Amino acid sequence: MFSFEITLKNWNSECSFFKIKYLNKPFYSRIMIFFKLNIWCFVGIFIPFSVEAQVSDTIKKWSIETCFQYAIENNIDINTAKLNELSAIQDANLAKGSRIPNLYGTLNNTITNEKNDVSGTGNFENQVVSTGNYSLNSSLVLWNGNYVNTNIHQKNLVSKTYNLLVEQSKNNLFLRITQSYLSILLAKENLKYSIDLVATSKSRLTQGQQLYDAGSTAKINVLQLQAQLSADIYLKILIENTIRQNILLLKQLLQLPTTVSFDVETPNDLQVVALVSPLETVQNNAFQNFPEIKISQMNKEISNLNITKAKASFLPTLTANAGIGSGYSTILNNTVFTSSNYFMQTGNNFYQQIGVTLSIPILTNRINKTNLEKAKIGSKQSDFNLKNTKLLLSQDVELAYLNATNAQEAYQSANEQLIAVTESYRILNEEYKLGGVNSFDLLQQKNQYVQAIQAFTQSKYTAILQQKIYDFYNGIKIQL
């Protein structure tokens, strides 16, 4: 066992040599090589922590595209918006039905018990009379100030508006899913670093204990190394809890049942792109593509059509009417008159009629005028709503632009800081092995190194998130 630990310590020294060799490579590649080397250096210690920390491979891992697709198909808010759209389509179909003549059939039969002077002698007797009336009636609006066509156009716009509301719900949900998804990836990357830190701390403690047993170091140094190991393990546990909580939040956002085992897929190459599109270009693209603007524009047009419909109510309405019908009547308890044949009587009573009706509004208790004034007010309000929507969207895009540029600057700063702290930590490690510094100084430098890694990781995923949001306003589909 002792010979293995000595070999492991020498192997770690060789790994440090290779870290120096690869300092001239791109930063991201250096970081990956750095941690891969440390993983191999502490493979005997790393494996138990790795098995404990990683989610079971049997759990299906979802890509962000899979999350989007599941949300589209199963999210309650989106499906509710789709049902509202279907309802609006039916309203549009109903408006189109106004162009078609209606047709109503009426079948009526009445039995009447009454007293009549059936003989003409002044003697009244009870009579039971059965009367039947049968008719078909139809009407069609020929002209009503173009109200029917205006109403059809308006209902079509309303159905299109609900379709855009579905897209708006999708956009909002996609942004929330992206934020939650990246939070999980951030915590998972932090977990990788924390596992490596635990392995490193455990190796340092073993080395310090050996030095203490040989009388080469004080007890206080061993206690400091033990405290640092406990702190690193505690940090790892916190990160694992964060992963579980973030996965739960994403499951809730996707509205997945609690019984479903769920984990996210880690992209192979997730990097920050330095290029940011010009603000004015993205704002123009957002105005053209985002449903909020189109909804406000359609609402303005719908409000203007309300004015047209209100004006039509002041005009006459011309309606065509047509009908056919017949009737039959018989005295059920007749003792004097004989009943005529049913088909003969209905044939004799058969009638046909056709005509037109002109309805002219004269006094309507101010209803029409009030409706017109309210329609005008609604049109003005829609103008303000459109301006406000454009203003809010432009502000959102500008905020996304500032967040993206600031996040990239923070990422570059954290990148430079990590390069310096990593090199400083490497040098101090070598000095510690030679006895040039004590464990307290080493732990202080290690804390700075841990903070630098955390700052770098946080800034990296923040920059990616803000970049995805800004690109989304630019009409670029979110992909990881």
Side-chain angles (χ1 to χ4, degrees), residues 420-440:
V421 173
T422 301
E423 178 64 12
S424 178
Y425 183 47
R426 184 195 65 79
I427 294 173
L428 209 64
N429 265 312
E430 297 298 327
E431 293 180 355
Y432 177 77
K433 294 173 184 177
L434 299 175
V437 296
N438 56 32
S439 60
F440 178 79

Side-chain angles (χ1 to χ4, degrees), residues 20-44:
I20 299 173
K21 179 179 179 181
Y22 284 101
L23 280 176
N24 293 325
K25 288 185 173 292
F27 178 70
Y28 182 80
S29 299
R30 288 204 313 276
I31 290 296
M32 295 307 297
I33 292 172
F34 174 84
F35 287 110
K36 286 179 180 179
L37 287 171
N38 274 283
I39 288 172
W40 283 106
C41 291
F42 303 111
V43 65

Side-chain angles (χ1 to χ4, degrees), residues 129-146:
V129 181
S130 176
T131 305
N133 294 291
Y134 325 110
S135 64
L136 288 173
N137 296 282
S138 178
S139 65
L140 174 65
V141 176
L142 300 177
W143 188 82
N144 62 345
N146 206 33

